[in-house]
Amino acid sequence: QVQLVESGGGSVQPGGSLRLSCKVSGRFLGVNAMGWYRQAPGKERELVAHISSGSTNYADSVKGRFTISRDNAKNTAYLQMNSLKVEDTAVYYCNAIIQTATWSGMNYWGKGTLVTVSS
């Protein structure tokens, strides 16, 4: 069974920084792609950043402020968030496309970590 566990959320003032981590564990053959999504109260879940084969893409709202990276040896993805704004407040979810013995690409989600930006 594959699990994604996020960490690093918390409360920060506007202009501050946080670093989220997402570790993939369990039985799998490889991690094809990873991404971070977020869902603010009353809003739909949206893509924040995505990384695959070294290529990255970002939501326009976070470009220049957030950076996604991966440590393939640790099966871990990171989201460095700088210059945080109140509107970045949301539950952040990790997503991964996992290759297992049964499926070439299975979609998995973490349980989410809360980021609160407030003065």
Side-chain angles (χ1 to χ4, degrees), residues 10-36:
S11 297
V12 65
Q13 292 185 340
S17 298
L18 283 174
R19 188 192 194 207
L20 306 183
S21 299
C22 172
K23 182 170 179 59
V24 183
S25 63
R27 288 177 164 265
F28 57 96
L29 299 179
V31 181
N32 296 340
M34 298 187 76
W36 288 95

Side-chain angles (χ1 to χ4, degrees), residues 31-34 50-56 70 72:
V31 181
N32 296 340
M34 298 187 76
H50 180 267
I51 184 166
S52 175
S53 300
S55 175
T56 60
R70 275 176 70 171
N72 292 327

Side-chain angles (χ1 to χ4, degrees), residues 81-104:
M81 304 185 295
N82 298 328
S83 302
L84 281 161
K85 303 177 181 181
V86 171
E87 51 264 42
D88 293 319
T89 296
V91 177
Y92 284 70
Y93 296 91
C94 179
N95 173 266
I97 308 299
I98 305 292
Q99 182 184 8
T100 68
T102 307
W103 301 98
S104 60

Side-chain angles (χ1 to χ4, degrees), residues 36-38 43 46-49 57-67 79 81-90 92:
W36 288 95
Y37 290 71
R38 68 185 180 186
K43 295 188 177 181
E46 62 175 356
L47 174 67
V48 175
N57 62 79
Y58 298 90
D60 288 342
S61 59
V62 306
K63 282 181 181 176
R65 300 188 297 122
F66 290 11
T67 302
L79 185 68
M81 304 185 295
N82 298 328
S83 302
L84 281 161
K85 303 177 181 181
V86 171
E87 51 264 42
D88 293 319
T89 296
Y92 284 70

